[in-house]
Structure formats: structure tokens, C-alpha cells
Amino acid sequence: KNRKEINTKSINITKVEDLKESLNKIISKGEKIYWVCPLVDESEKLQLQSVNERLKDLRNYYSDYSVEIVHGQMQQEDKNSVMQKFKSGKVNILVATSVIEVGIDDPDATVIIIENAERFGLSQLHQLRGRVGRGNSISYCILMYKTNLSANAKKRLKILRETNNGFIIAEEDLKIRGHVDLLG
């Protein structure tokens, strides 16, 4: 309630360098960024972005800023420490898996980038998007995808671009995935 609408855009992964350049303005204003990747480590089978590889890339690109990582394989104490640094402003960019999906409230985080967004479900994307838009600044959710999207992936990204309403998203998710037969 009373939260600002989040501007949601989808871009092809080939535009990642342009995106990184445009984020300099956000960071220079003292706003913070979540960068979500689906994997912790690289996979030979899955051509998806890992947080460890993205961390190296972003630390190299944003050498004047603090970029940290958080994922589910870390010890809880380490995760808490990184999250506290992010919340206090000592960390500008937090590279994470979907472990940040719930329970995080940082009004200075205004951008969330979700890589390989086509691999996430509507509900999970909506929950991740909800990490931003908690303060007074305009917030953005950038859904990065690879080419050759399936029809359902295109629908999911379109739905998220068109609405922030969780009820509409749930209804559309039901249409895409179908209902569950509890007895059979």
C-alpha cells in the first residue's frame, strides 16, 4: 500500500554494456542496485549467468564502487553481514541469487536487474521486483533475457511490463500454467 509503481523494462542480454553504463547515474546519486542471477557457479549444461561470474564483471567495471555478493550457499552470518553493509550504504551493488526474494526492505535500492528473467516464473519475478520501489525515488526493474524466447516466456515478460498488480499477475500465471487438479 502507498508504494510507488515500479517501471519495468525488458532488454536483451546483448545490451548489458549499455545497461552498466547507464547505471553509473543511479549509483552516483547514492541509490543502490540489486543484480540477480539464477546460478551461484557457472554450469557447463546451462548457459545461464552465475553470481560469481557477474560479481567479477561488475567489480571490474565499477572499480570505484563497492560490489558484493549474497547467495543461499553462504553461511547465514556472512549473508547477514553483507546485507547489513548494503542497507547501510557501504555496498552499492548487491549481486545475488533469488535468496533476496522476500524479507528485504531497503528504500535506497531503486533498481533491480534480473538476468535470464525468462527462466523465472511470474510469481518469483514479481516478488523479486518488490525489492525496489520502497522509497521516494523512481524505481526500475530490468528483465534481461536471451534471444529465442519461448511463447510463454514472452507472455511472462509482457505481463510484468504491463502491470504491477499482484492479483492480475496471479491470474495471468494461472492462465499460462493452468490449474492444478488436487485429486488426480
Side-chain angles (χ1 to χ4, degrees):
K1 186 179 180 184
N2 299 325
R3 288 184 53 190
K4 290 190 177 236
E5 192 163 308
I6 301 162
N7 296 312
T8 303
K9 305 200 180 312
S10 58
I11 65 168
N12 192 296
I13 189 73
T14 59
K15 305 279 187 193
V16 69
E17 294 303 317
D18 295 336
L19 174 62
K20 289 190 301 191
E21 184 178 321
S22 69
L23 294 175
N24 278 310
K25 295 176 203 161
I26 302 290
I27 300 169
S28 68
K29 292 191 300 185
E31 297 174 19
K32 295 178 274 184
I33 298 166
Y34 295 109
W35 197 299
V36 178
C37 302
L39 300 177
V40 174
D41 295 307
E42 277 189 294
S43 168
E44 291 181 17
K45 293 180 181 179
L46 301 173
Q47 298 300 311
L48 302 175
Q49 186 64 51
S50 73
V51 290
N52 286 321
E53 288 302 310
R54 184 54 70 198
L55 176 69
K56 290 177 198 172
D57 173 54
L58 295 177
R59 279 186 172 165
N60 182 50
Y61 190 87
Y62 296 108
S63 57
D64 293 340
Y65 297 107
S66 176
V67 182
E68 290 295 332
I69 190 171
V70 67
H71 56 76
Q73 295 176 10
M74 294 172 66
Q75 296 291 321
Q76 189 61 44
E77 184 178 299
D78 295 334
K79 285 191 283 192
N80 291 345
S81 174
V82 171
M83 293 305 300
Q84 184 54 42
K85 288 178 188 173
F86 184 70
K87 191 157 175 85
S88 71
K90 293 178 184 167
V91 171
N92 307 99
I93 302 173
L94 183 62
V95 182
T97 58
S98 60
V99 72
I100 65 160
E101 189 174 345
V102 293
I104 296 171
D105 184 10
D106 188 339
D108 296 324
T110 59
V111 176
I112 186 165
I113 294 112
I114 305 169
E115 275 199 68
N116 301 114
E118 73 276 8
R119 299 293 296 218
F120 294 90
L122 266 175
S123 297
Q124 191 170 31
L125 288 168
H126 182 61
Q127 284 289 340
L128 286 165
R129 177 173 58 182
R131 299 308 96 215
V132 297
R134 295 172 170 265
N136 294 323
S137 299
I138 296 171
S139 293
Y140 300 90
C141 174
I142 310 298
L143 305 168
M144 289 187 6
Y145 62 90
K146 289 191 174 182
T147 53
N148 301 326
L149 291 177
S150 70
N152 281 341
K154 287 178 184 177
K155 284 180 192 174
R156 288 193 309 271
L157 298 183
K158 183 178 187 284
I159 292 163
L160 283 166
R161 286 192 312 268
E162 292 177 350
T163 186
N164 284 300
N165 184 316
F167 292 110
I168 293 172
I169 291 169
E171 287 175 345
E172 293 300 322
D173 192 31
L174 180 63
K175 288 177 190 174
I176 292 171
R177 294 190 313 155
H179 67 280
V180 176
D181 181 358
L182 293 176
L183 301 176

